[in-house]
């Protein structure tokens, strides 16, 4: 769909302690990064960070042009650990026409780079003109689906929208299309000045009985929620989960953002 793009910013290397480095455009001037763990045999390069993490915080950047003009820009996100150290930086690649004409239904590629600017995860979604309705998601042409690669060129997970009457539901699969997890959101996805609680999408085992984690859309404050398209998210998972599935759950978070929160913010703008 889209070609690859070079990361916008390449940051310095790592030391034994957290480092403070120059940030990407639009971010705070200084960013503390997570020290790079030693390589782990059998783990794709760049995913060794995830071996030490059971929770990720994802902060979408405020785009000034978008706030002032309403023009839909490509999304950018900081991905941090619970200490506030940057683990990854994610940048959307999508076509201008699709952003303007298709809104949150657009196809996209999310390039996720480490603090050296090396792309370690790629999340892709093709544009489907009929997709999005939960009732029709039993048909593949009407179900949104993302593919997660880590490293680029090697598929490690696939996430597919599932049919439902009301609640948003997702099947989370490995590269061989074996279902690993099932995710389900609330019936009413509502967040505003009078309703500021987190919107939770719970993650279960395939039998839909045992809860193993969750994805949350967090309230960002009145000004940020009303006047910008920037959202804050959190995803949690078992510490001992395979890093490839952790990367897949991170990708799932972007799908949830585009399906349920990008459109809401665009309508507000």
């Amino acid at each position: 769909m889209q070609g690859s793009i070079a990361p916008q910013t390449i940051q310095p290397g790592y030391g034994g302690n957290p480092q403070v480095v120059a940030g990407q455009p639009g971010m705070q001037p200084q960013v503390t990064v997570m020290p790079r763990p030693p390589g782990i045999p059998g783990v794709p390069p760049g995913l060794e960070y995830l071996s030490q993490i059971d929770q990720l915080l994802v902060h979408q950047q405020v785009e000034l042009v978008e706030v002032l003009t309403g023009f839909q820009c490509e999304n950018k996100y900081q991905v941090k650990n619970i200490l506030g150290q940057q683990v990854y930086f994610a940048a959307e690649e999508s076509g201008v026409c699709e952003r303007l004409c298709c809104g949150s239904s657009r196809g996209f590629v999310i390039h996720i780079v480490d603090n050296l600017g090396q792309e370690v995860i790629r999340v892709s979604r093709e544009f489907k003109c009929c997709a999005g309705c939960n009732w029709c998601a039993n048909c593949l042409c009407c179900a949104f689906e993302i593919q997660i690669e880590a490293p680029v060129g090697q598929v490690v997970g696939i996430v597919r929208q599932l049919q439902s009457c009301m609640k948003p539901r997702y099947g989370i699969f490995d590269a061989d299309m074996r279902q690993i997890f099932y995710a389900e959101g609330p019936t009413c996805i509502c967040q505003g000045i009078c309703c500021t609680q987190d919107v939770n999408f719970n993650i279960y085992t395939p039998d839909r009985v045992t809860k193993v984690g969750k994805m949350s859309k967090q309230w960002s404050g009145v000004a940020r929620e009303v006047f910008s398209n920037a959202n804050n998210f959190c995803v949690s998972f078992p510490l001992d989960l395979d890093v490839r599935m952790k990367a897949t759950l991170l990708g799932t978070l972007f799908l949830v953002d585009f399906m349920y929160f990008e459109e809401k913010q665009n309508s507000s703008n």
Side-chain angles (χ1 to χ4, degrees):
M1 178 177 60
Q2 295 93 351
S4 60
I5 59 175
Q8 296 189 8
T9 300
I10 296 180
Q11 297 181 331
Y14 308 90
N17 299 308
Q19 296 185 10
V20 177
V21 299
Q24 287 83 3
M27 287 169 30
Q28 296 297 322
Q30 301 292 320
V31 177
T32 303
V33 302
M34 178 180 175
R36 186 175 189 175
I40 302 174
V43 172
L47 298 193
E48 58 268 12
Y49 298 95
L50 299 180
S51 65
Q52 302 179 358
I53 289 175
D54 62 0
Q55 185 174 335
L56 288 169
L57 309 177
V58 179
H59 302 304
Q60 186 176 352
Q61 290 188 354
V62 176
E63 299 291 342
L64 185 59
V65 172
E66 194 168 309
V67 173
L68 296 178
T69 68
F71 178 82
Q72 179 63 52
C73 300
E74 293 172 312
N75 293 340
K76 300 180 181 67
Y77 308 82
Q78 277 183 287
V79 182
K80 301 179 179 180
N81 61 18
I82 58 174
L83 300 178
Q85 300 167 347
Q86 180 172 293
V87 182
Y88 300 120
F89 183 79
E92 174 195 353
E93 179 192 2
S94 58
V96 175
C97 290
E98 283 194 21
R99 290 201 306 276
L100 293 179
C101 300
C102 305
S104 62
S105 297
R106 63 187 180 268
F108 60 77
V109 175
I110 303 290
H111 302 273
I112 303 177
V113 302
D114 63 13
N115 294 305
L116 285 174
Q118 301 298 314
E119 186 174 5
V120 296
I121 305 171
R122 180 176 293 181
V123 181
S124 306
R125 183 180 79 174
E126 293 185 354
F127 170 70
K128 296 182 179 180
C129 63
C130 301
C133 176
N134 289 332
W135 290 15
C136 304
N138 60 319
C139 180
L140 291 183
C141 66
C142 297
F144 278 127
E145 180 177 293
I146 60 169
Q147 180 174 276
I148 298 90
E149 303 170 48
V152 175
Q154 181 176 329
V155 176
V156 296
I158 294 170
V159 182
R160 180 176 296 165
Q161 180 188 10
L162 301 178
Q163 183 184 34
S164 67
C165 292
M166 295 293 293
K167 293 183 177 181
R169 294 173 177 170
Y170 300 93
I172 301 170
F173 305 87
D174 64 12
D176 298 318
M177 286 304 295
R178 292 188 295 257
Q179 186 169 358
I180 307 300
F181 296 119
Y182 162 83
E184 182 177 272
T187 301
C188 179
I189 300 178
C190 178
Q191 196 176 56
I193 297 174
C194 299
C195 188
T196 60
Q197 74 271 17
D198 291 352
V199 179
N200 295 320
F201 287 69
N202 293 318
I203 303 168
Y204 300 93
T205 51
D207 58 12
R208 308 185 183 186
V209 174
T210 305
K211 181 180 174 182
V212 297
K214 70 177 180 178
M215 300 172 287
S216 300
K217 161 66 171 66
Q218 301 171 329
W219 175 251
S220 305
V222 175
R224 190 179 179 101
E225 292 282 347
V226 174
F227 297 108
S228 80
N229 191 32
N231 298 312
N232 288 334
F233 297 92
C234 174
V235 56
S236 61
F237 34 66
L239 181 62
D240 60 354
L241 181 66
D242 186 280
V243 293
R244 296 167 182 82
M245 292 314 302
K246 291 182 180 181
T248 300
L249 291 177
L250 175 59
T252 307
L253 194 64
F254 293 118
L255 178 60
V256 169
D257 178 28
F258 273 82
M259 288 188 63
Y260 292 101
F261 303 104
E262 184 84 358
E263 186 64 44
K264 174 181 72 67
Q265 294 291 352
N266 289 344
S267 299
S268 299
N269 290 341

